[in-house]
Amino acid sequence: MILNTTYGLILCAAIVSLCGCSAAFYGATERSTSSSLVDYLYPGGQRPVVDPETTPRLELPLRVGIAFVPTSRRSWGGSLQPTEARKVELLEKVKAAFEGVDYVEDIQVIPSNYLGGGGGFRALEQTSRLYDLDVFALVSWDQVVNTEDTPLSVLYWTIIGSYVIPASRNSVSTMLDTAVFDIRTRKLLLRAPGYDHASRQTTAIGSESGQKQISDASFESAVAKMSENLETEIDAFGERVKADKSVQIAYSRDYSGSSVPLFLLCTLALAAVCAPRGARRRNRTG
């Protein structure tokens, strides 16, 4: 009788232990990671100092820099945020939005650690001098990953259940924004957003790796959508400059862009000179 009671207690303790271990792997959680454009450009609550009367003057062709805004201190997503290598890889996709623009000479992808030093436009200007840039595209983001249990989570009563039952739902929302600034005047030229939302079922044990995968995939999807919007905004910016003259345009000596070739200008000029002479000859003949 005592022996049976002992075995019963051991069995109960084992079940409780397994349930306790299993319970440690699931439950509703929220993780977020972000980088704030405003906090970076105006650290310590600084107020923007931009002369509204100053008109940006862009000398074509342009040299453009692209970088992710350094991570905010408030971010607590831990390992979910992209590594520096992954950020550079994602920015290569954003770079493609500028490559088809004839007035852009070069696009440089800048690692986030080059934008340190307390932030602010001064740090941005120092980096621009280092890379000889005219405008800078800063990419900020905000991502939230939520993990919660479905009704199937009641089956997480053993370690085995935590390994094989996909009863944890991971949902992620990612918002990215590219803001393009003129370095000399610190004025915003254009901006383009990108948004993604996705979800995925995982087991309790696989929740961490599932969160990483869905986080990375969401970043990539949001970057793709933002790049499409950026192409549209770049085209609209060119038309807007022609219409409202909000930006002064100058040209370097070696810039050709989409301007009329010199030989064509010479041909048109020669035709303009010769045409009156031909007309006079016909009049005299007549």
Side-chain angles (χ1 to χ4, degrees):
M1 184 67 178
I2 296 177
L3 187 60
N4 291 336
T5 303
T6 302
Y7 281 136
L9 291 174
I10 293 175
L11 180 60
C12 290
I15 292 174
V16 171
S17 177
L18 287 174
C19 290
C21 291
S22 176
F25 295 107
Y26 71 94
T29 61
E30 180 178 288
R31 302 171 69 182
S32 69
T33 177
S34 66
S35 62
S36 171
L37 177 67
V38 174
D39 289 347
Y40 174 75
L41 292 179
Y42 307 104
Q46 295 178 7
R47 298 183 62 183
V49 182
V50 179
D51 185 358
E53 301 300 325
T54 302
T55 301
R57 183 178 183 275
L58 303 179
E59 183 173 314
L60 308 186
L62 297 175
R63 294 177 59 84
V64 181
I66 308 174
F68 271 105
V69 175
T71 307
S72 170
R73 293 181 179 179
R74 296 176 299 176
S75 175
W76 53 282
S79 60
L80 289 184
Q81 68 172 297
T83 63
E84 283 300 318
R86 181 57 171 155
K87 289 178 183 177
V88 170
E89 184 179 344
L90 292 172
L91 287 177
E92 289 292 338
K93 302 179 184 295
V94 183
K95 177 180 176 180
F98 291 92
E99 290 180 337
V101 182
D102 62 353
Y103 56 80
V104 174
E105 177 183 28
D106 187 41
I107 310 102
Q108 293 284 338
V109 173
I110 314 296
S112 299
N113 50 17
Y114 278 72
L115 302 182
F121 274 102
R122 289 186 178 180
L124 201 62
E125 291 164 353
Q126 290 174 356
T127 305
S128 299
R129 286 194 294 270
L130 179 64
Y131 284 91
D132 190 23
L133 304 174
D134 302 301
V135 299
F136 216 117
L138 290 174
V139 182
S140 56
W141 80 87
D142 192 356
Q143 184 183 78
V144 178
V145 179
N146 288 289
T147 301
E148 58 183 4
D149 298 327
T150 67
L152 285 176
S153 63
V154 298
L155 301 178
Y156 284 168
W157 68 283
T158 66
I159 290 294
I160 301 300
S162 299
Y163 270 105
V164 300
I165 301 173
S168 294
R169 180 186 294 113
N170 300 283
S171 63
V172 57
S173 297
T174 305
M175 177 70 183
L176 280 84
D177 181 78
T178 295
V180 183
F181 289 89
D182 172 44
I183 299 301
R184 298 183 184 89
T185 61
R186 301 184 176 184
K187 282 197 170 183
L188 178 67
L189 301 177
L190 60 98
R191 68 190 312 161
Y195 178 76
D196 178 73
H197 178 78
S199 61
R200 177 183 177 183
Q201 300 279 117
T202 62
T203 64
I205 298 297
S207 181
E208 178 71 19
S209 61
Q211 287 178 348
K212 290 181 180 179
Q213 291 175 10
I214 194 174
S215 170
D216 184 73
S218 185
F219 260 108
E220 186 164 1
S221 179
V223 164
K225 294 174 183 177
M226 182 183 66
S227 298
E228 294 177 2
N229 293 333
L230 184 58
E231 290 184 16
T232 302
E233 288 300 319
I234 290 174
D235 293 339
F237 173 74
E239 295 301 321
R240 187 166 65 251
V241 168
K242 296 177 184 177
D244 60 16
K245 308 298 181 182
S246 58
V247 175
Q248 295 179 2
I249 301 297
Y251 304 91
S252 63
R253 293 181 179 179
D254 57 348
Y255 175 69
S256 58
S258 58
S259 57
V260 180
L262 180 61
F263 78 89
L264 182 57
L265 290 176
C266 293
T267 302
L268 293 174
L270 183 61
V273 172
C274 293
R277 292 180 179 178
R280 285 196 297 270
R281 287 178 183 177
R282 285 195 297 271
N283 291 333
R284 290 175 182 176
T285 302

